[in-house]
Amino acid sequence: KKGLSMWLMPKLPKYVYGELLNELHDATWLLMSGTLPSAEYIRRVYGFPILDDDYIIVKARLGRVNSVRIIDTVSSRYSERGDETYRNYAGIITSIVSGSPTGIVLLVVYPSYEFMNSVLKYLNLNGVAVVLTEGVVKSLKAVHDEAVRVVEGGGRIVLNAVAGGRFTEGVEIRHNGVSLIKAVIIAGVPYPTFRDTALQDRARESGLGEAWFEQRAVVNIMQAIGRSIRSRSDTVDIILIDERFRWFARKLPLPKAN
């Protein structure tokens, strides 16, 4: 950690899987995920020769999305980032949390640590909710135990998380068999950073271009929402905060937004 290091990684997973696929070309593969990317993405990125007819969506009876709401007065796009944008996001989140029922957990998901920390400078939920932030709280068990304690006492918990991070891929807050996360707030479209040259290389190598970034954003959003629905009895309200959700929401397998 004290010196320089170099990571050598393939641009795409298919260059790792390729040899295995060639050796087992007669095998039958079963790819399963709650956030499975599109068939074209699987072909181009993972190298599996999947046909569109092989791609089956099973609508499991796992909970219910009560509502999907879009707030389109702000945007997290790079060209609009600045103190005014961060202050506006903080104000919107404060209003949502203040108007929510007590005794619940609200998961707020940001596109990046940089964006989250910039919004948090203006986010003041003192007296409104107990706030736990990814990167500050390390233990998922500590998050779970604190959330259960606060909710049982009739309070609110706000979990600040980063798309694709530890909270959105691993946190699960259940008590008596029910998820306590009753609202998921997506604070900005969680695209991977366009400035990352390694990600640009991957997008070009896949032949998908911008669609590669869009697919990753869809997966990030659905992973976050999946933190709230863990059983048939779970319900959640979704709030999408970014003017781009007026068209991007159509890419998400969710009920029609209000």
Side-chain angles (χ1 to χ4, degrees):
K1 293 184 178 179
K2 294 182 180 179
L4 295 175
S5 62
M6 177 180 292
W7 288 67
L8 297 177
M9 300 175 64
K11 287 184 178 179
L12 298 173
K14 68 180 181 182
Y15 299 129
V16 177
Y17 297 144
E19 184 175 343
L20 181 62
L21 289 171
N22 289 334
E23 291 179 5
L24 302 175
H25 61 278
D26 291 329
T28 298
W29 300 86
L30 179 61
L31 309 181
M32 299 177 64
S33 174
T35 53
L36 199 66
S38 67
E40 184 179 18
Y41 187 95
I42 293 172
R43 286 193 296 268
R44 290 177 176 267
V45 174
Y46 292 103
F48 286 84
I50 183 174
L51 302 176
D52 288 344
D53 290 342
D54 296 332
Y55 194 90
I56 300 173
I57 298 177
V58 178
K59 294 187 176 181
R61 294 177 59 190
L62 270 179
R64 183 179 75 251
V65 174
N66 286 328
S67 65
V68 180
R69 177 185 172 198
I70 295 174
I71 298 176
D72 60 3
T73 56
V74 290
S75 175
S76 65
R77 58 168 51 94
Y78 284 104
S79 61
E80 297 188 27
R81 293 187 183 184
D83 288 341
E84 183 178 358
T85 293
Y86 303 137
R87 191 179 296 109
N88 288 339
Y89 265 96
I92 292 169
I93 293 167
T94 299
S95 177
I96 293 170
V97 175
S98 300
S100 68
T102 55
I104 67 168
V105 176
L106 300 95
L107 176 62
V108 186
V109 181
Y110 304 85
S112 66
Y113 278 103
E114 178 186 9
F115 191 84
M116 177 179 74
N117 291 330
S118 297
V119 173
L120 293 186
K121 289 190 300 183
Y122 299 100
L123 186 64
N124 185 356
L125 294 174
N126 292 336
V128 177
V130 174
V131 178
L132 301 176
T133 298
E134 184 172 354
V136 176
V137 181
K138 304 293 184 182
S139 167
L140 294 181
K141 183 179 185 304
V143 170
H144 175 275
D145 293 348
E146 177 67 0
V148 171
R149 183 190 69 80
V150 171
V151 168
E152 282 193 317
R156 302 183 186 94
I157 281 275
V158 169
L159 295 184
N160 290 309
V162 174
R166 196 153 176 259
F167 277 16
T168 58
E169 293 190 355
V171 74
E172 186 168 328
I173 303 176
R174 294 170 58 77
H175 188 55
N176 295 329
V178 177
S179 173
L180 300 182
I181 301 176
K182 296 301 181 182
V184 176
I185 302 168
I186 308 296
V189 181
Y191 286 110
T193 175
F194 288 99
R195 301 176 183 179
D196 190 320
T197 55
L199 298 186
Q200 292 174 14
D201 286 345
R202 290 183 181 181
R204 281 193 296 267
E205 188 77 7
S206 70
L208 292 170
E210 186 174 331
W212 184 91
F213 289 90
E214 290 181 354
Q215 187 72 68
R216 297 312 310 164
V218 169
V219 169
N220 285 339
I221 292 168
M222 298 312 298
Q223 281 180 332
I225 294 172
R227 295 297 94 204
S228 63
I229 299 179
R230 313 305 292 172
S231 71
R232 292 187 179 186
S233 60
D234 293 333
T235 61
V236 66
D237 293 296
I238 310 298
I239 303 97
L240 308 172
I241 311 176
D242 196 309
E243 61 93 6
R244 291 174 293 178
F245 278 121
R246 286 183 297 187
W247 59 269
F248 194 89
R250 295 194 293 268
K251 300 178 181 293
L252 305 174
L254 294 172
K256 188 175 181 180
N258 297 323

